[in-house]
Amino acid sequence: MTENEAIALLKCLADKSRLQILKSLAIEDMYVERLAERLNLTAPTISFHLKKLQEAGAVSSYKNQYYTMYSLKKEVFEVRLMDILQEKSAEAEMQQERDRQYRQKVIDTFFEYGKLKAIPAQRKKRRIVLEEIVKDFEMSRRYDEKEVNLIIAAYHDDFCTLRREMIMEGLMQRDHQIYWRME
Amino acid sequence: MEHLIKFLEARICKCRERAAELEKDFRKDEAVFEKVRENVFDIFKTVLHVANAQHGGDEAAVRLFFESRLNQIPAAWAASLEKARLHGDENKALIEEIKLAAVSDIKAALEEAK
């Protein structure tokens, strides 16, 4: 179910009469007049609601002799709300792209020819800078403090601050002066 | 025509109450239908006021004026209903049917007042 389909369906369901129609159709397939009688609504009103439900993909219809029967599209209601929330949307992709662009802008601003010009004061930007530097550390390797300092010093003279920040941000872990990169 | 004014006012009041009830009961679309109905009664209440203002005191002239508008105004709704049915626009058709049903109510009340 796409994001727009989910919005249309949820919007359509936010009506007591339509919900009552669906509850009736959950029992068995029905035609307009039968639903009208059950729910004490006029047949045109039922038709109006059924059309909306059909447009939202909640019900389908088929011919049975003289009647048009309506049935619940059960598969639509088997979708969990969590599945809808986890659905990838165009908006999510756009957000990712905006995040990527922001990240690149920070990198371009603070790095020059592979050197860190200044340590960002803003935490969000500092984190991006640290994430760039930490890429120089291999994942499963252990480093002693001297090695760590040398790698960081290639970027900036204040390697102590950067090293400490990496630990605080959870990018690296330390134990008895042995450092390793975190996943 | 006093009877008709009372009839229209009562219907407007009833529609308004029903719309509020429906809205409270999470039946927004049906509340809209009631508002459409209310609007029709309101239009003809205005027509009746205009008729009274123009022909005050002359009951027959007021009635004639009102009856002519009662036939004239819904003609466009009937045409719109026909068009909606032709194009399978059920929503529009339902709205026009509601408006025309309200007009039928007014016509019946007018007959009663004779």
Side-chain angles (χ1 to χ4, degrees):
Chain A
M1 192 181 291
T2 66
E3 196 172 71
N4 286 347
E5 282 168 349
I7 290 167
L9 179 67
L10 294 172
K11 207 173 157 187
C12 187
L13 294 184
D15 183 284
K16 200 169 184 177
S17 295
R18 287 198 277 275
L19 216 52
Q20 296 305 319
I21 290 172
L22 292 173
K23 281 182 175 185
S24 295
L25 296 180
I27 301 166
E28 59 177 338
D29 296 357
M30 289 184 196
Y31 51 93
V32 171
E33 289 73 15
R34 172 100 199 275
L35 282 163
E37 201 177 280
R38 267 178 75 95
L39 303 176
N40 195 27
L41 291 170
T42 65
T45 303
I46 293 287
S47 294
F48 168 85
H49 287 309
L50 281 169
K51 189 163 187 240
K52 285 212 158 188
L53 288 165
Q54 258 186 314
E55 282 168 358
V59 303
S60 59
S61 65
Y62 61 93
K63 284 268 176 202
N64 185 5
Q65 292 183 327
Y66 305 112
Y67 298 106
T68 301
M69 302 294 287
Y70 289 88
S71 56
L72 190 70
K73 282 174 101 173
K74 291 201 174 83
E75 69 276 12
V76 170
F77 294 93
E78 276 157 9
V79 173
R80 293 180 314 144
L81 287 175
M82 204 54 180
D83 293 339
I84 294 171
L85 298 184
Q86 285 167 344
E87 183 77 30
K88 268 221 162 195
S89 69
E91 183 56 32
E93 278 166 25
M94 278 163 69
Q95 276 173 17
Q96 261 178 8
E97 179 56 22
R98 282 197 288 268
D99 283 348
R100 195 197 61 74
Q101 282 175 1
Y102 174 76
R103 195 183 171 83
Q104 195 54 51
K105 199 176 155 200
V106 171
I107 292 167
D108 292 345
T109 306
F110 286 92
F111 287 93
E112 193 178 47
Y113 307 123
K115 283 265 183 188
L116 184 63
K117 288 195 277 184
I119 300 172
Q122 211 182 85
R123 192 181 165 190
K124 192 178 168 187
K125 290 177 181 171
R126 197 161 61 237
R127 165 105 197 173
I128 292 170
V129 161
L130 293 170
E131 280 171 356
E132 275 303 295
I133 297 173
V134 88
K135 283 179 186 170
D136 274 2
F137 292 87
E138 288 171 38
M139 262 312 176
S140 48
R141 217 188 115 184
R142 307 269 147 167
Y143 295 85
D144 61 33
E145 196 163 285
K146 201 177 163 192
E147 284 178 297
V148 172
N149 291 345
L150 276 172
I151 290 171
I152 299 174
Y155 289 95
H156 195 271
D157 294 341
D158 193 356
F159 51 83
C160 289
T161 301
L162 290 170
R163 192 187 63 217
R164 194 173 55 243
E165 289 280 341
M166 280 182 181
I167 302 292
M168 280 163 60
E169 286 290 338
L171 296 169
M172 293 206 52
Q173 192 68 270
R174 172 179 55 191
D175 187 32
H176 295 98
Q177 298 207 320
I178 295 295
Y179 295 74
W180 63 96
R181 188 177 160 185
M182 295 297 288
E183 289 282 341
Chain B
M1 300 300 266
E2 196 60 36
H3 161 81
L4 196 61
I5 289 186
K6 277 187 184 156
F7 165 82
L8 292 170
E9 280 173 349
R11 284 298 160 104
I12 289 167
C13 199
K14 198 178 162 195
C15 287
R16 207 168 284 166
E17 280 172 13
R18 185 95 185 101
E21 275 170 26
L22 287 165
E23 218 156 322
K24 222 188 260 178
D25 199 28
F26 303 103
R27 298 175 199 259
K28 220 173 172 186
D29 286 327
E30 284 159 55
V32 170
F33 299 159
E34 284 301 324
K35 283 176 190 167
V36 168
R37 206 168 280 134
E38 179 197 330
N39 199 30
V40 174
F41 292 124
D42 204 34
I43 287 168
F44 286 100
K45 189 183 150 193
T46 307
V47 169
L48 197 53
H49 278 305
V50 172
N52 277 322
Q54 284 187 10
H55 309 282
D58 185 348
E59 178 100 355
V62 169
R63 191 181 183 92
L64 201 68
F65 181 94
F66 187 78
E67 274 179 340
S68 77
R69 296 299 185 278
L70 196 56
N71 291 318
Q72 200 182 16
I73 296 170
W77 301 340
S80 176
L81 171 63
E82 194 113 337
K83 215 170 163 184
R85 279 185 180 152
L86 202 71
H87 291 89
D89 187 348
E90 288 166 39
N91 292 359
K92 177 88 176 157
L94 180 59
I95 298 286
E96 299 305 342
E97 274 170 4
I98 288 167
K99 284 152 80 175
L100 292 170
V103 170
S104 295
D105 271 3
I106 299 169
K107 280 183 178 168
L110 193 64
E111 275 304 302
E112 257 180 55
K114 264 184 185 171

